[in-house]
Short mmCIF file of all heavy atoms in Angstrom, two decimals:
data_model
loop_
_atom_site.label_atom_id
_atom_site.label_comp_id
_atom_site.label_asym_id
_atom_site.label_seq_id
_atom_site.Cartn_x
_atom_site.Cartn_y
_atom_site.Cartn_z
N PHE A 423 -4.40 -14.41 7.99
CA PHE A 423 -3.05 -14.70 7.43
C PHE A 423 -2.81 -13.80 6.22
O PHE A 423 -3.69 -13.58 5.46
CB PHE A 423 -3.07 -16.17 6.92
CG PHE A 423 -3.00 -17.20 8.01
CD1 PHE A 423 -4.08 -17.51 8.79
CD2 PHE A 423 -1.79 -17.89 8.30
CE1 PHE A 423 -4.07 -18.46 9.75
CE2 PHE A 423 -1.73 -18.81 9.32
CZ PHE A 423 -2.87 -19.16 10.06
N VAL A 424 -1.61 -13.28 6.20
CA VAL A 424 -1.27 -12.48 5.02
C VAL A 424 -0.14 -13.16 4.23
O VAL A 424 0.84 -13.50 4.74
CB VAL A 424 -0.71 -11.03 5.51
CG1 VAL A 424 -0.11 -10.29 4.38
CG2 VAL A 424 -1.86 -10.22 6.04
N PHE A 425 -0.45 -13.37 2.94
CA PHE A 425 0.48 -14.09 2.11
C PHE A 425 0.90 -13.23 0.91
O PHE A 425 0.12 -12.90 0.07
CB PHE A 425 -0.13 -15.39 1.53
CG PHE A 425 -0.56 -16.42 2.51
CD1 PHE A 425 -1.88 -16.65 2.71
CD2 PHE A 425 0.38 -17.12 3.19
CE1 PHE A 425 -2.26 -17.61 3.70
CE2 PHE A 425 0.04 -18.04 4.15
CZ PHE A 425 -1.32 -18.26 4.37
N PRO A 426 2.13 -12.79 0.91
CA PRO A 426 2.67 -12.07 -0.33
C PRO A 426 2.90 -13.13 -1.42
O PRO A 426 3.48 -14.22 -1.14
CB PRO A 426 3.95 -11.48 0.14
CG PRO A 426 4.42 -12.35 1.24
CD PRO A 426 3.19 -12.97 1.90
N ILE A 427 2.48 -12.83 -2.63
CA ILE A 427 2.55 -13.78 -3.74
C ILE A 427 3.26 -13.19 -4.89
O ILE A 427 2.80 -12.21 -5.47
CB ILE A 427 1.12 -14.23 -4.14
CG1 ILE A 427 0.30 -14.78 -3.03
CG2 ILE A 427 1.24 -15.18 -5.39
CD1 ILE A 427 0.60 -16.25 -2.76
N TYR A 428 4.39 -13.75 -5.23
CA TYR A 428 5.00 -13.32 -6.54
C TYR A 428 5.43 -14.61 -7.31
O TYR A 428 6.34 -15.28 -6.83
CB TYR A 428 6.24 -12.47 -6.21
CG TYR A 428 6.95 -12.00 -7.45
CD1 TYR A 428 6.33 -11.19 -8.37
CD2 TYR A 428 8.30 -12.32 -7.64
CE1 TYR A 428 7.00 -10.78 -9.57
CE2 TYR A 428 8.94 -11.88 -8.80
CZ TYR A 428 8.30 -11.14 -9.72
OH TYR A 428 8.97 -10.69 -10.85
N ASN A 429 4.72 -14.83 -8.36
CA ASN A 429 5.00 -16.07 -9.20
C ASN A 429 4.95 -17.34 -8.31
O ASN A 429 5.93 -18.09 -8.31
CB ASN A 429 6.28 -15.93 -9.88
CG ASN A 429 6.36 -14.69 -10.83
OD1 ASN A 429 5.28 -14.15 -11.20
ND2 ASN A 429 7.49 -14.33 -11.35
N GLU A 430 3.96 -17.53 -7.63
CA GLU A 430 3.79 -18.67 -6.82
C GLU A 430 2.74 -19.70 -7.30
O GLU A 430 2.14 -20.47 -6.54
CB GLU A 430 3.49 -18.33 -5.31
CG GLU A 430 4.56 -17.36 -4.70
CD GLU A 430 5.79 -18.08 -4.32
OE1 GLU A 430 6.03 -19.21 -4.72
OE2 GLU A 430 6.63 -17.39 -3.67
N GLU A 431 2.44 -19.66 -8.54
CA GLU A 431 1.44 -20.47 -9.24
C GLU A 431 1.31 -21.93 -8.66
O GLU A 431 0.39 -22.51 -8.36
CB GLU A 431 1.71 -20.48 -10.75
CG GLU A 431 0.61 -21.15 -11.55
CD GLU A 431 1.01 -21.02 -13.05
OE1 GLU A 431 2.17 -20.82 -13.34
OE2 GLU A 431 0.12 -21.18 -13.85
N ALA A 432 2.62 -22.52 -8.60
CA ALA A 432 2.71 -23.93 -8.27
C ALA A 432 2.59 -24.21 -6.79
O ALA A 432 2.67 -25.33 -6.38
CB ALA A 432 4.09 -24.48 -8.83
N ASN A 433 2.50 -23.18 -5.98
CA ASN A 433 2.49 -23.30 -4.49
C ASN A 433 1.14 -22.99 -3.91
O ASN A 433 0.87 -23.45 -2.84
CB ASN A 433 3.55 -22.42 -3.89
CG ASN A 433 4.94 -22.84 -4.23
OD1 ASN A 433 5.21 -24.06 -4.27
ND2 ASN A 433 5.82 -21.91 -4.45
N ILE A 434 0.32 -22.20 -4.61
CA ILE A 434 -0.89 -21.64 -4.02
C ILE A 434 -1.85 -22.77 -3.53
O ILE A 434 -2.30 -22.68 -2.37
CB ILE A 434 -1.55 -20.66 -5.01
CG1 ILE A 434 -0.66 -19.43 -5.12
CG2 ILE A 434 -2.93 -20.28 -4.46
CD1 ILE A 434 -1.13 -18.48 -6.28
N ASP A 435 -2.10 -23.72 -4.37
CA ASP A 435 -3.12 -24.71 -4.01
C ASP A 435 -2.66 -25.47 -2.80
O ASP A 435 -3.39 -25.64 -1.77
CB ASP A 435 -3.33 -25.73 -5.16
CG ASP A 435 -4.15 -25.07 -6.22
OD1 ASP A 435 -4.88 -24.11 -5.98
OD2 ASP A 435 -4.05 -25.58 -7.41
N LEU A 436 -1.38 -25.92 -2.75
CA LEU A 436 -0.87 -26.66 -1.61
C LEU A 436 -0.87 -25.77 -0.34
O LEU A 436 -1.20 -26.25 0.71
CB LEU A 436 0.52 -27.25 -1.89
CG LEU A 436 1.11 -28.08 -0.77
CD1 LEU A 436 0.32 -29.33 -0.57
CD2 LEU A 436 2.58 -28.36 -1.04
N LEU A 437 -0.44 -24.51 -0.57
CA LEU A 437 -0.38 -23.66 0.59
C LEU A 437 -1.74 -23.48 1.19
O LEU A 437 -1.90 -23.61 2.39
CB LEU A 437 0.11 -22.22 0.12
CG LEU A 437 0.03 -21.16 1.12
CD1 LEU A 437 1.14 -21.41 2.25
CD2 LEU A 437 0.28 -19.76 0.47
N HIS A 438 -2.73 -23.22 0.38
CA HIS A 438 -4.05 -22.92 0.93
C HIS A 438 -4.62 -24.28 1.60
O HIS A 438 -5.22 -24.25 2.70
CB HIS A 438 -5.02 -22.43 -0.07
CG HIS A 438 -6.29 -21.92 0.51
ND1 HIS A 438 -6.29 -20.77 1.23
CD2 HIS A 438 -7.54 -22.41 0.54
CE1 HIS A 438 -7.55 -20.59 1.70
NE2 HIS A 438 -8.26 -21.53 1.34
N LYS A 439 -4.41 -25.37 0.90
CA LYS A 439 -4.81 -26.66 1.44
C LYS A 439 -4.20 -26.89 2.84
O LYS A 439 -4.87 -27.24 3.83
CB LYS A 439 -4.44 -27.74 0.47
CG LYS A 439 -4.96 -29.08 0.83
CD LYS A 439 -4.78 -30.05 -0.34
CE LYS A 439 -4.77 -31.48 0.10
NZ LYS A 439 -3.47 -32.01 0.53
N THR A 440 -2.86 -26.63 2.90
CA THR A 440 -2.15 -26.87 4.15
C THR A 440 -2.67 -25.92 5.32
O THR A 440 -3.00 -26.40 6.42
CB THR A 440 -0.66 -26.69 4.00
OG1 THR A 440 -0.26 -27.33 2.75
CG2 THR A 440 0.13 -27.24 5.19
N VAL A 441 -2.81 -24.62 5.01
CA VAL A 441 -3.28 -23.75 6.09
C VAL A 441 -4.69 -24.05 6.48
O VAL A 441 -5.08 -24.03 7.69
CB VAL A 441 -3.14 -22.20 5.74
CG1 VAL A 441 -1.75 -21.69 5.87
CG2 VAL A 441 -3.79 -21.90 4.40
N ASP A 442 -5.46 -24.45 5.50
CA ASP A 442 -6.87 -24.85 5.82
C ASP A 442 -6.92 -26.03 6.77
O ASP A 442 -7.55 -26.05 7.77
CB ASP A 442 -7.57 -25.19 4.50
CG ASP A 442 -9.04 -25.48 4.76
OD1 ASP A 442 -9.59 -24.86 5.63
OD2 ASP A 442 -9.56 -26.38 4.07
N GLU A 443 -6.07 -27.06 6.46
CA GLU A 443 -6.06 -28.24 7.27
C GLU A 443 -5.51 -27.94 8.70
O GLU A 443 -6.08 -28.43 9.69
CB GLU A 443 -5.12 -29.31 6.61
CG GLU A 443 -5.84 -30.16 5.59
CD GLU A 443 -4.79 -31.00 4.76
OE1 GLU A 443 -3.65 -31.00 5.25
OE2 GLU A 443 -5.23 -31.48 3.73
N VAL A 444 -4.45 -27.17 8.80
CA VAL A 444 -3.88 -26.82 10.01
C VAL A 444 -4.79 -26.03 10.93
O VAL A 444 -4.88 -26.24 12.17
CB VAL A 444 -2.52 -26.07 9.79
CG1 VAL A 444 -2.11 -25.34 11.01
CG2 VAL A 444 -1.46 -27.02 9.29
N THR A 445 -5.54 -25.09 10.25
CA THR A 445 -6.40 -24.21 11.07
C THR A 445 -7.80 -24.83 11.40
O THR A 445 -8.35 -24.45 12.39
CB THR A 445 -6.66 -22.82 10.37
OG1 THR A 445 -7.12 -23.12 9.11
CG2 THR A 445 -5.30 -22.06 10.31
N ALA A 446 -8.19 -25.76 10.59
CA ALA A 446 -9.56 -26.39 10.76
C ALA A 446 -9.89 -26.79 12.18
O ALA A 446 -10.97 -26.42 12.67
CB ALA A 446 -9.75 -27.54 9.75
N PRO A 447 -9.02 -27.54 12.83
CA PRO A 447 -9.37 -27.97 14.28
C PRO A 447 -9.60 -26.77 15.19
O PRO A 447 -10.17 -26.99 16.25
CB PRO A 447 -8.17 -28.82 14.67
CG PRO A 447 -7.37 -29.08 13.47
CD PRO A 447 -7.69 -28.02 12.49
N HIS A 448 -9.19 -25.62 14.85
CA HIS A 448 -9.26 -24.46 15.74
C HIS A 448 -10.31 -23.45 15.32
O HIS A 448 -10.51 -22.36 15.87
CB HIS A 448 -7.94 -23.74 15.86
CG HIS A 448 -6.82 -24.65 16.35
ND1 HIS A 448 -6.56 -24.85 17.67
CD2 HIS A 448 -6.03 -25.52 15.66
CE1 HIS A 448 -5.63 -25.80 17.75
NE2 HIS A 448 -5.31 -26.20 16.60
N ALA A 449 -11.12 -23.85 14.28
CA ALA A 449 -12.05 -22.92 13.71
C ALA A 449 -13.17 -22.56 14.73
O ALA A 449 -13.84 -21.48 14.57
CB ALA A 449 -12.63 -23.48 12.48
N GLY A 450 -13.43 -23.38 15.74
CA GLY A 450 -14.35 -23.13 16.72
C GLY A 450 -13.94 -21.99 17.64
O GLY A 450 -14.77 -21.22 18.18
N ARG A 451 -12.67 -21.81 17.74
CA ARG A 451 -12.10 -20.81 18.64
C ARG A 451 -11.72 -19.50 17.96
O ARG A 451 -11.87 -18.44 18.51
CB ARG A 451 -10.83 -21.42 19.20
CG ARG A 451 -10.59 -20.98 20.63
CD ARG A 451 -9.83 -21.96 21.33
NE ARG A 451 -9.07 -21.07 22.30
CZ ARG A 451 -7.86 -21.23 22.56
NH1 ARG A 451 -7.13 -22.22 22.05
NH2 ARG A 451 -7.23 -20.40 23.45
N TYR A 452 -11.29 -19.65 16.76
CA TYR A 452 -10.86 -18.38 15.98
C TYR A 452 -11.69 -18.28 14.65
O TYR A 452 -12.07 -19.22 14.12
CB TYR A 452 -9.40 -18.46 15.65
CG TYR A 452 -8.45 -18.60 16.78
CD1 TYR A 452 -7.78 -19.85 17.08
CD2 TYR A 452 -8.29 -17.54 17.69
CE1 TYR A 452 -6.95 -19.96 18.15
CE2 TYR A 452 -7.44 -17.72 18.81
CZ TYR A 452 -6.80 -18.87 19.03
OH TYR A 452 -6.00 -19.03 20.07
#
Side-chain angles (χ1 to χ4, degrees):
F423 285 77
V424 168
F425 298 111
I427 301 276
Y428 179 61
N429 298 346
E430 303 284 10
E431 187 177 22
N433 293 321
I434 291 169
D435 286 338
L436 181 66
L437 173 69
H438 193 70
K439 187 168 154 277
T440 317
V441 282
D442 183 37
E443 278 169 10
V444 163
T445 54
H448 303 270
R451 215 153 147 224
Y452 301 109

